[in-house]
Amino acid sequence: MSSHSIVFLAQPAGALQGDIRVPGDKSMSHRSIMLGSLAEGTTHVKGFLEGEDALATLNAFRAMGVQIDGPSGGEVTIHGVGLHGLQAPSEDIYLGNSGTSIRLIAGLMAGQAFDVTMTGDASLSKRPMNRVAVPLREMGAVVDADEGGRPPLTVRGGSRLEAISYDMPMASAQVKSCVLLAGLYADGITEVTEPAPTRDHTERMLRGFGYDVDVQGNKVRLAGGGQLTATNIDVPSDISSAAFYMVAASITPGSDLTLRHVGINPTRIGIVNILRLMGAIIEIFNEREVGGEPVADIRVQYAPLRGIEIPEDQVPLAIDEFPVLFVAAACAEGQTILTGAEELRVKESDRIQVMADGLLALGVDAQPTEDGIVINSGPIGSGEIWSHGDHRIAMSFAVASLRAAGAIRINGAEHVATSFPGFVELANGVGFNIQVIED
Ligand code: S3P
């Protein structure tokens, strides 16, 4: 995974035009492997994201004895082993850059009979795991982490789990999902209360596998001891990947781009809401439902954007899109203020600091705050930035190059492969000018 370094040399380009489909949703791809592996019967997945993060999950379940065919052209066949059919892996499970893998799998491992140790790359090894270790221990699991609650994370087997009612201290779909997945193995009814709506793909997909999940307001409940029944899954395009193209078309004069078959789950739609508040022209059409998830085509045309105060209720709904939204803010007339987004500091990188550093290096006035940022629009210069092991930072500065005075050199661009294989080919096909240099 990401064994060699890559640099993007991203140059200003003309208007963007095209009709494209970005790769499959990362969150749903992870969950399709997890639930398909634990189901009774054979699950077929279409539109699976063949990025390193989702492949890390796939390899983890193979290492625990699940036969998985593919992926090939986005198709995967999973021969489910049932909730109690996993086998002990012969070595530690390496999960690369993927926070979703480690946190969700931790929940499932709490219910197994064997021990598992999970490791990751330099970025994942810095990320907080106490947010899952604390509720899992409350359920009766034995979980060991490194100093400061960092990976490697070991979950010991053979614990008897008791259901809990967990009041989540932060708005995190990974924590919610971890507790619910452990709840499949717990005695009683597990309940999670969230402080704000977070992505609900786990709840929707559990239902798709025939498992009862009760959602009332901000509470999600499920009873342990049921079973999952194999199903077919059609993963829509990832709105978080589409977001780079939405901002790209919005900031580049003359652009007109259509993005097909994009997941528009209401818990993921913040990017559209925020860009529209900034004056973007975004049309959502052909709305339909695919396998329990709303999907649509999205047309984005260039529009002069204006700075805004981003409503805090949109933060969890756009949590992965802020790096590229900061680029939109740099191009928007006036000032953009983000608050209530301290979670950005514990993503694949500290996205507040790393984006502020990168924008400042390009001459944009970007002031980080404890829980957000203040950006004053201004010309984007040429310069050099570092991804800090974070795919979305690299792609965001590729988008910034569309409005830059000259080339932006983006170091650490190999991490783009974690969520968006083929990003450069697709981007150059609609009018970007990105050169890939092996470092
Ligand atoms: C994800 C949840 C979010 C998001 C991540 C994927 C998921 O993380 O940032 O990219 O699939 O559940 P948090 O739960 O930490 O907010």
Side-chain angles (χ1 to χ4, degrees):
M1 291 187 186
S2 306
S3 52
H4 57 290
S5 307
I6 286 175
V7 172
F8 285 172
L9 197 63
Q11 316 243 27
L16 305 181
Q17 304 282 342
D19 190 324
I20 57 173
R21 181 165 170 165
V22 302
D25 188 272
K26 182 155 75 72
S27 294
M28 291 183 221
S29 295
H30 283 297
R31 288 158 170 82
S32 70
I33 297 292
M34 295 176 193
L35 300 189
S37 293
L38 296 170
E40 308 287 336
T42 304
T43 291
H44 297 283
V45 185
K46 276 198 321 192
F48 180 78
L49 169 64
E50 296 183 39
E52 288 171 359
D53 276 16
L55 291 173
T57 291
L58 187 153
N59 288 329
F61 282 86
R62 267 193 189 140
M64 290 188 281
V66 182
Q67 189 195 325
I68 303 176
D69 309 328
S72 167
E75 298 208 16
V76 183
T77 300
I78 310 161
H79 302 271
V81 296
L83 277 164
H84 300 281
L86 295 177
Q87 293 162 18
S90 57
E91 49 192 41
D92 292 355
I93 293 183
Y94 178 71
L95 295 168
N97 198 259
S98 180
T100 308
S101 306
I102 198 167
R103 296 202 179 108
L104 271 59
I105 293 175
L108 292 171
M109 293 304 103
Q112 307 304 317
F114 49 85
D115 297 355
V116 169
T117 295
M118 294 176 283
T119 64
D121 70 4
S123 155
L124 188 62
S125 301
K126 286 190 224 145
R127 299 183 64 190
M129 295 299 140
N130 280 340
R131 54 182 55 203
V132 290
V134 166
L136 289 177
R137 286 182 192 131
E138 219 179 288
M139 296 177 85
V142 180
V143 183
D144 307 322
D146 218 1
E147 223 181 285
R150 315 283 155 193
L153 193 67
T154 298
V155 184
R156 310 250 169 232
S159 305
R160 192 190 162 108
L161 300 185
E162 289 291 340
I164 57 169
S165 283
Y166 192 59
D167 221 337
M168 260 199 313
M170 72 289 287
S172 166
Q174 291 178 357
V175 175
K176 172 177 65 175
S177 302
C178 170
V179 175
L180 291 175
L181 293 175
L184 298 175
Y185 294 92
D187 288 334
I189 295 179
T190 296
E191 178 182 275
V192 181
T193 305
E194 43 184 10
T198 67
R199 66 192 67 193
D200 62 356
H201 306 301
T202 301
E203 298 90 306
R204 286 176 189 252
M205 207 180 279
L206 278 169
R207 287 201 189 110
F209 279 87
Y211 210 96
D212 264 355
V213 181
D214 174 47
V215 180
Q216 265 169 47
N218 61 346
K219 292 188 192 307
V220 188
R221 279 190 208 93
L222 60 75
Q227 75 165 39
L228 301 167
T229 306
T231 185
N232 293 335
I233 296 175
D234 185 349
V235 179
S237 292
D238 198 326
I239 192 168
S240 297
S241 297
F244 297 103
Y245 291 91
M246 290 187 213
V247 171
S250 294
I251 65 172
T252 309
S255 296
D256 188 348
L257 262 187
T258 298
L259 299 152
R260 298 285 177 188
H261 204 74
V262 182
I264 54 158
N265 182 309
T267 61
R268 299 285 297 282
I269 202 72
I271 176 72
V272 172
N273 298 339
I274 294 169
L275 281 175
R276 279 182 172 160
L277 287 173
M278 297 175 83
I281 302 175
I282 302 176
E283 188 193 340
I284 296 185
F285 60 106
N286 282 341
E287 284 190 50
R288 54 211 181 263
E289 192 164 300
V290 178
E293 289 276 356
V295 171
D297 299 334
I298 300 180
R299 180 179 178 198
V300 188
Q301 291 165 273
Y302 166 76
L305 301 182
R306 53 184 178 270
I308 59 165
E309 282 184 32
I310 298 174
E312 286 197 8
D313 65 0
Q314 295 300 310
V315 170
L317 312 184
I319 194 67
D320 289 335
E321 283 62 81
F322 285 104
V324 78
L325 277 169
F326 296 169
V327 172
C331 301
E333 185 63 35
Q335 188 173 67
T336 296
I337 303 174
L338 173 68
T339 54
E342 57 280 348
E343 277 292 304
L344 294 181
R345 292 201 178 272
V346 291
K347 293 293 176 188
E348 288 84 325
S349 68
D350 175 344
R351 287 182 172 161
I352 291 175
Q353 194 60 49
V354 168
M355 283 304 297
D357 291 346
L359 288 170
L360 284 167
L362 302 176
V364 176
D365 175 8
Q367 297 306 324
T369 61
E370 211 173 301
D371 66 342
I373 199 165
V374 180
I375 297 172
N376 290 301
S377 72
I380 300 176
S382 59
E384 180 165 18
I385 72 100
W386 281 264
S387 75
H388 292 264
D390 189 335
H391 51 137
R392 299 199 200 280
I393 301 293
M395 288 186 277
S396 297
F397 283 106
V399 171
S401 73
L402 295 165
R403 285 279 296 264
I408 301 179
R409 187 182 161 89
I410 303 165
N411 298 289
E414 66 277 8
H415 292 284
V416 166
T418 63
S419 70
F420 203 146
F423 169 72
V424 172
E425 295 74 10
L426 204 59
N428 286 345
V430 297
F432 281 68
N433 180 357
I434 307 171
Q435 219 182 309
V436 178
I437 304 167
E438 305 274 334
D439 200 15

